[in-house]
């Protein structure tokens, strides 16, 4: 049942990515950010009220730091989704376990084991394969931005760990993240102008928020009721769903080179996750 929750969550996240790409044809970038965050903050706020957790926090500064990094990661991830095949963009976002391993080594002054070094090097080889010289300039920039989303996500996880260890409920962490995203999205969209939405685009932006929130909720359920290492590895099924949606909805086909690079990154991420303790892996549910 635990495996099923994570597979379902992965499906929701893949559907959110496809919705982002569909909406980007007519809806502005900051509109997408706003609707994603606004719908999520409403859903999470309702859950906080139901669970009677409260919104007040003693760690507002750390929440703002985590929210700033997390939203930057989301912006980079959405930009990559819009300009790259969905499978490629999703894979780049899932480089975060590689960066987490590097951050953990630097911050904890831990021992760089042979297995950890191998997993990190394997991941960066996969990244270099995706950054192949024949990539068009536009895609090259989008690929680098997608890779940046992986690094920023790893940094966001690091700050989530601090908040969880301080006793903050995961829902409150997500609430402040989405609240900041809503405010930034609203301000930026007000500056550049809101996009008029027809019924189809209203459905798309609604799907972005709903699928993203459902993915968050089901992922949290998976991490809360099962082995976090297994759940983390199963989260890579998002890439499989994204590949299928990219082919069915957009006719996207992966080259053998890109597929090889993705496979190396997935293998590297799985190895990095296996080196982490279940407690550390479970932080992903709050991102």
């Amino acid at each position: 049942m635990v495996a099923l929750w994570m597979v379902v969550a992965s499906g929701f996240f893949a559907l959110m990515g496809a919705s982002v790409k569909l909406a980007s044809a007519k809806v502005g970038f900051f509109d997408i950010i706003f609707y994603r965050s606004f719908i999520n903050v409403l859903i999470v706020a309702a859950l906080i009220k139901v669970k009677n957790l409260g919104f007040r926090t003693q760690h507002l500064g750390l929440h703002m730091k985590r929210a700033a990094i997390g939203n930057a990661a989301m912006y980079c991830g959405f930009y990559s989704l819009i300009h790259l095949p969905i499978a490629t963009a999703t894979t780049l976002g899932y480089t975060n376990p590689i960066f987490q391993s590097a951050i953990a080594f630097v911050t904890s002054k831990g021992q760089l084991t042979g297995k950890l070094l191998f997993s990190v090097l394997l991941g960066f080889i996969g990244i270099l394969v995706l950054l192949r010289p024949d990539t068009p300039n536009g895609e090259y920039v989008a690929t680098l931005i997608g890779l940046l989303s992986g690094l920023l996500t790893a940094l966001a996880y690091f700050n989530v760990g601090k908040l969880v260890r301080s006793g903050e409920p995961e829902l409150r962490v997500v609430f402040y993240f989405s609240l900041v995203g809503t405010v930034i999205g609203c301000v930026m969209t007000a500056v550049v102008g809101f996009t008029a939405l027809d019924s189809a685009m209203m459905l798309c932006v609604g799907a972005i928020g709903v699928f993203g929130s459902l993915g968050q909720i089901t992922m949290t359920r998976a991490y809360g009721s099962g082995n976090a290492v297994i759940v983390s590895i199963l989260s890579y099924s998002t890439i499989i769903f994204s590949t299928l949606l990219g082919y069915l909805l957009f006719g996207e086909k992966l080259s053998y080179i890109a597929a090889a690079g993705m496979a190396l990154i997935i293998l590297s991420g799985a190895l990095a996750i296996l080196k982490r303790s279940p407690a550390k892996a479970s932080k992903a549910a709050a991102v």
Side-chain angles (χ1 to χ4, degrees):
M1 190 63 181
V2 173
L4 179 61
W5 279 118
M6 191 63 245
V7 172
V8 169
S10 297
F12 282 136
F13 284 131
L15 286 168
M16 182 192 72
S19 300
V20 168
K21 201 170 186 70
L22 286 169
S24 67
K26 294 183 178 180
V27 181
F29 179 76
F30 289 108
D31 295 69
I32 292 174
I33 295 294
F34 169 72
Y35 290 116
R36 163 68 176 97
S37 300
F38 180 62
I39 294 172
N40 195 54
V41 81
L42 292 178
I43 294 174
V44 174
L47 290 173
I48 288 176
K49 291 293 288 184
V50 169
K51 293 178 177 292
N52 198 29
L53 295 174
F55 299 95
R56 183 173 295 182
T57 178
Q58 301 296 320
H59 308 280
L60 186 60
L62 189 54
H63 273 292
M64 294 301 102
K65 181 179 179 182
R66 173 266 184 275
I69 297 172
N71 275 281
M74 183 172 68
Y75 302 160
C76 291
F78 280 11
Y79 182 91
S80 180
L81 277 169
I82 291 169
H83 293 89
L84 292 174
I86 295 177
T88 303
T90 303
T91 304
L92 290 170
Y94 275 84
T95 57
N96 69 81
I98 304 169
F99 291 114
Q100 285 185 67
S101 296
I103 291 170
F105 170 72
V106 172
T107 56
S108 64
K109 297 181 173 61
Q111 183 180 1
L112 185 62
T113 65
K115 291 181 179 179
L116 180 60
L117 179 61
F118 175 74
S119 69
V120 172
L121 289 177
L122 190 65
F124 279 104
I125 290 172
I127 292 167
L128 290 174
V129 172
L130 281 182
L131 289 171
R132 60 194 187 280
D134 62 331
T135 300
N137 289 335
E139 289 191 11
Y140 189 84
V141 172
T143 301
L144 288 176
I145 292 175
L147 183 58
L148 179 60
S149 76
L151 171 59
L152 291 172
T153 299
L155 291 171
Y157 282 179
F158 179 72
N159 285 282
V160 166
K162 289 183 178 181
L163 284 165
V164 172
R165 287 193 297 272
S166 70
E168 286 291 88
E170 292 175 351
L171 282 173
R172 193 183 293 157
V173 176
V174 177
F175 172 78
Y176 280 104
F177 161 68
S178 298
L179 181 63
V180 170
T182 300
V183 172
I184 295 174
C186 184
V187 170
M188 293 303 299
T189 307
V191 171
V192 301
F194 277 89
T195 304
L197 301 178
D198 57 24
S199 56
M201 288 302 103
M202 287 183 66
L203 185 62
C204 276
V205 297
I208 293 169
V210 171
F211 285 141
S213 297
L214 289 174
Q216 195 83 55
I217 292 167
T218 50
M219 179 176 67
T220 301
R221 180 69 178 270
Y223 275 106
S225 57
N227 185 300
V229 173
I230 294 174
V231 172
S232 294
I233 293 175
L234 284 173
S235 70
Y236 278 89
S237 60
T238 303
I239 297 173
I240 298 173
F241 291 125
S242 296
T243 302
L244 291 173
L245 287 172
Y247 177 76
L248 293 173
L249 296 178
F250 307 102
E252 297 174 349
K253 297 179 181 179
L254 292 175
S255 68
Y256 291 115
I257 295 177
M262 289 167 58
L264 288 174
I265 290 172
I266 292 171
L267 178 59
S268 169
L271 290 173
I273 289 168
L274 288 171
K275 294 298 294 180
R276 295 155 54 200
S277 69
K280 291 181 179 179
S282 65
K283 297 171 193 172
V287 175

